[in-house]
Amino acid sequence: MATNITFHPGAVTEDERNSLLSQKGATIWLTGLSASGKSTIATALEQHLLHKKLHAYRLDGDNIRFGLNKDLGFDQASRVENIRRIGEVSLLFSLSSTIAITAFISPYISDRELARSLHEKHSSGIPFIEVYVDAPLDVVESRDPKGLYKKARAGEIKDFTGISAPYEAPAKPEIHIRTDQVDVAGAVEIIVKYLEEKNLIPA
């Protein structure tokens, strides 16, 4: 851990920033198996919010590994560090009055709870909305757009979530979406309605 460092506060308070930008920050954390629809929903949600003139930014699991997390693998320790970093980054976005939309498998409950606690323990309590993007294993395997499940079944990919590594489903997510029953537009509508009901975005 770094020593001899001091936090340098800015000259603008969080309330002032929110007022100037006419928006509150929040993190929408999409979790679920590969091919459950997380990235597709996140992309559509980001587009919808931006078209409403709201500040939103999407952090995608694959995209982040091209840069910030390119030094991490897929073993358990790397997965934990992957989510820790994203929890910190999404908090920074939220503190800038942006709606951060994360799309990560994030298979472990403890890691998602760590990300939540980073937001909730902040002095102003930043909203953290866990969205369980849920689809049965047979459904996501039938989709398999990247051919990853086929490779995992053949033993070509180790530590693949849902096949050779565990996925711990959320017990009490703020939002639960069954993507074998709801299309992308319907999923976005569910999330937007929740944000409106919580007064995080204007109706």
Side-chain angles (χ1 to χ4, degrees):
M1 180 178 290
T3 57
N4 300 316
I5 59 174
T6 303
F7 185 82
H8 192 157
V12 179
T13 66
E14 290 175 37
D15 286 343
E16 185 179 3
R17 187 188 302 275
N18 291 343
S19 177
L20 289 169
L21 296 176
S22 301
Q23 183 176 319
K24 297 177 181 178
T27 289
I28 302 171
W29 191 282
L30 279 67
T31 175
L33 293 172
S34 179
S36 61
K38 300 180 302 298
S39 294
T40 304
I41 293 170
T43 299
L45 177 61
E46 178 187 41
Q47 182 182 43
H48 179 86
L49 294 175
L50 288 171
H51 282 199
K52 288 173 68 71
K53 309 300 182 184
L54 296 167
H55 304 279
Y57 194 80
R58 175 178 54 90
L59 299 167
D60 184 80
D62 280 358
N63 294 355
I64 290 295
R65 286 182 177 271
F66 280 102
L68 177 66
N69 291 349
K70 66 181 180 180
D71 59 321
L72 299 176
F74 290 91
D75 58 280
Q76 183 172 354
S78 293
R79 287 176 182 270
V80 170
E81 176 60 13
N82 182 51
I83 299 307
R84 186 196 70 80
R85 292 182 192 180
I86 297 310
E88 295 282 3
V89 171
S90 61
L91 174 60
L92 291 174
F93 271 94
S94 297
L95 289 172
S96 74
S97 302
T98 298
I99 297 174
I101 306 166
T102 75
F104 291 79
I105 294 173
S106 44
Y108 302 113
I109 291 174
S110 59
D111 297 338
R112 298 194 301 268
E113 286 304 308
L114 173 60
R116 180 188 293 276
S117 69
L118 289 172
H119 292 68
E120 293 181 346
K121 288 180 180 178
H122 194 270
S123 59
S124 58
I126 303 297
F128 183 92
I129 301 119
E130 185 177 42
V131 181
Y132 180 22
V133 183
D134 184 10
L137 183 59
D138 63 317
V139 171
V140 296
E141 282 201 72
S142 68
R143 294 172 180 169
D144 203 13
K146 304 172 188 176
L148 299 179
Y149 283 99
K150 184 177 180 180
K151 291 181 179 179
R153 290 290 188 189
E156 297 174 23
I157 301 177
K158 295 181 179 180
D159 301 317
F160 190 80
T161 304
I163 303 299
S164 52
Y167 177 79
E168 299 172 356
K172 295 181 179 179
E174 279 73 17
I175 302 172
H176 185 172
I177 297 173
R178 285 287 301 267
T179 58
D180 58 329
Q181 301 174 4
V182 178
D183 63 10
V184 176
V188 169
E189 184 179 353
I190 290 169
I191 297 171
V192 167
K193 183 178 180 181
Y194 179 92
L195 296 176
E196 291 174 346
E197 290 175 348
K198 298 299 181 180
N199 295 316
L200 293 173
I201 64 172

